[in-house]
Amino acid sequence: IDGKAIAAAIRREVKQHSEALIASHKVTPGLAVVLVGARTDSATYVKMKKKAAAEVGFHSIDKTFAESVTEEALLQCVQELNSDPSVHGILVQLPLPKHIDEAKVLESIRVEKDADGFSSENVGNMCLRGGKPPLAVPCTPAGCIELLQRSGVAVRGKECVVVGRSNIVGMPVAHMLQSMDGTVTVCHSKTAGLPAHVRRADIVVAAIGAAEFVKGDWIKPGAVVIDVGMNTKPADTAKGFMPVAHML
C-alpha cells in the first residue's frame, strides 16, 4: 500500500474538479478550519489540511483560539462561518477542551457545510442501510477505505478488526467496512484477549491513539494493516522499534 502515491492521485483528481467548478461557475471552494488550543497533533493535522487545500485550489480560512476559549465564543464563530457564502465546508479540529461540549459544537455546523461528516444526520445516513447517502463521511475513515480500494484489497467476506471505537475513526470505519460486506469486530483497550482477535484478522485498522499498542507478532502473515494516527515518543526510547505502519 503506497499511501503517498494514492494521496497524490486523489489530490490531482480533486484539483481537476476544483478547476472545473471555478471555470464553469466562477466559484472557488472554501474551507474553514477551527483550531482550539496548542495540541501538537491537532496543529500538525491542521497544517496538513491547509497545505492540501492549497494544493487543490481551495480558498481556506483559519480560526484559531486559545485553550481557554468559551463555548459561547466558539459557537458564535461557527455561526458566522455558517453564514459566510465563501465558506462551503467547516472543519472543527477535535478533540476540544473538556469544558466545551463537542457534540453541541459539531451539531451547530450546517449539515451541508459539515466537511468532517460528524453531524448526527450525516452519521445516521452513513450507518443506515439504504435511504439517503450522507453529504459527507468522516475523512480519516474514508481515507482508510480509499487505501484499501485503490490498492485492490478485497473486503467482502474478510475478517476485519478495528482497534479503537472513537467517533472520529473507529466507529465510522467499522460501519464502512461492514457496508463493504466485511465481517467486522470492534476492539478497544478493555477488550479481553485482544491479541487473539487481531491475530485472526485479514484486515486490521489500528486507531487506538497510543504508540506501540498493536504488536507486530499480533499480525498474521498476509494481513493488511492500516495504522491510523500520529504519536510522538522520545528519540532514545524509539531505537529499534518498528511501528506497525512499516508493515504495510
Side-chain angles (χ1 to χ4, degrees), residues 74-75 78 92 96 100-109:
L74 200 56
L75 289 169
V78 172
V92 176
L96 294 174
I100 293 177
D101 185 340
E102 280 188 0
K104 186 176 181 180
V105 173
L106 295 178
E107 284 300 318
S108 72
I109 300 172

Side-chain angles (χ1 to χ4, degrees), residues 2-20 29 31 44-58 91 139-140 143 146-147 150 230:
D2 189 337
K4 288 185 177 180
I6 291 171
I10 291 172
R11 287 177 184 170
R12 285 194 299 270
E13 293 167 12
V14 173
K15 185 176 182 179
Q16 290 172 357
H17 287 298
S18 177
E19 291 172 344
L31 178 68
T44 299
Y45 290 142
V46 168
K47 182 179 179 180
M48 292 167 63
K49 290 170 184 176
K50 288 172 57 180
K51 180 181 177 183
E55 288 178 1
V56 298
F58 285 14
L91 294 171
C139 54
T140 301
E146 286 285 340
L147 287 172
R150 292 178 183 246
M230 184 178 300

Side-chain angles (χ1 to χ4, degrees), residues 159-211:
E159 288 277 356
C160 306
V161 172
V162 178
V163 186
R165 51 182 171 175
S166 73
N167 289 333
I168 301 173
V169 181
M171 179 273 290
V173 81
H175 282 285
M176 291 177 189
L177 290 167
Q178 192 174 53
S179 74
M180 298 168 70
D181 297 325
T183 302
V184 181
T185 301
V186 178
C187 300
H188 46 81
S189 60
K190 305 299 188 296
T191 298
L194 177 58
H197 287 289
V198 177
R199 286 190 179 106
R200 74 165 190 271
D202 302 303
I203 298 170
V204 179
V205 178
I208 199 69

Side-chain angles (χ1 to χ4, degrees), residues 1-246:
I1 294 177
D2 189 337
K4 288 185 177 180
I6 291 171
I10 291 172
R11 287 177 184 170
R12 285 194 299 270
E13 293 167 12
V14 173
K15 185 176 182 179
Q16 290 172 357
H17 287 298
S18 177
E19 291 172 344
L21 184 63
I22 294 169
S24 60
H25 297 285
K26 303 297 188 288
V27 174
T28 301
L31 178 68
V33 181
V34 181
L35 176 64
V36 178
R39 285 177 58 112
T40 302
D41 55 350
S42 290
T44 299
Y45 290 142
V46 168
K47 182 179 179 180
M48 292 167 63
K49 290 170 184 176
K50 288 172 57 180
K51 180 181 177 183
E55 288 178 1
V56 298
F58 285 14
H59 163 63
S60 63
I61 297 172
D62 301 332
K63 297 291 184 180
T64 305
F65 296 91
E67 184 90 8
S68 59
V69 66
T70 65
E71 184 177 288
E72 181 181 8
L74 200 56
L75 289 169
Q76 177 61 33
C77 172
V78 172
Q79 291 307 320
E80 291 172 359
L81 294 172
N82 280 336
S83 302
D84 187 340
S86 71
V87 173
H88 305 98
I90 301 171
L91 294 171
V92 176
Q93 184 64 41
L94 302 180
L96 294 174
K98 294 186 182 299
H99 68 279
I100 293 177
D101 185 340
E102 280 188 0
K104 186 176 181 180
V105 173
L106 295 178
E107 284 300 318
S108 72
I109 300 172
R110 283 173 53 183
V111 66
E112 58 267 33
K113 293 192 177 188
D114 175 29
D116 261 329
F118 288 153
S119 72
S120 58
E121 182 174 339
N122 277 325
V123 171
N125 285 334
M126 177 189 68
C127 295
L128 289 173
R129 291 177 62 85
K132 294 192 306 181
L135 295 176
V137 293
C139 54
T140 301
C144 295
I145 300 304
E146 286 285 340
L147 287 172
L148 295 173
Q149 291 180 325
R150 292 178 183 246
S151 300
V153 177
V155 174
R156 176 173 291 179
K158 297 295 181 66
E159 288 277 356
C160 306
V161 172
V162 178
V163 186
R165 51 182 171 175
S166 73
N167 289 333
I168 301 173
V169 181
M171 179 273 290
V173 81
H175 282 285
M176 291 177 189
L177 290 167
Q178 192 174 53
S179 74
M180 298 168 70
D181 297 325
T183 302
V184 181
T185 301
V186 178
C187 300
H188 46 81
S189 60
K190 305 299 188 296
T191 298
L194 177 58
H197 287 289
V198 177
R199 286 190 179 106
R200 74 165 190 271
D202 302 303
I203 298 170
V204 179
V205 178
I208 199 69
E212 303 180 44
F213 190 89
V214 175
K215 311 302 181 187
D217 62 4
W218 295 5
I219 309 300
K220 75 177 184 181
V224 175
V225 181
I226 305 294
D227 184 15
V228 179
M230 184 178 300
N231 298 287
T232 58
K233 41 188 285 113
D236 58 347
T237 64
K239 185 177 181 181
F241 166 64
M242 179 174 290
V244 172
H246 288 187

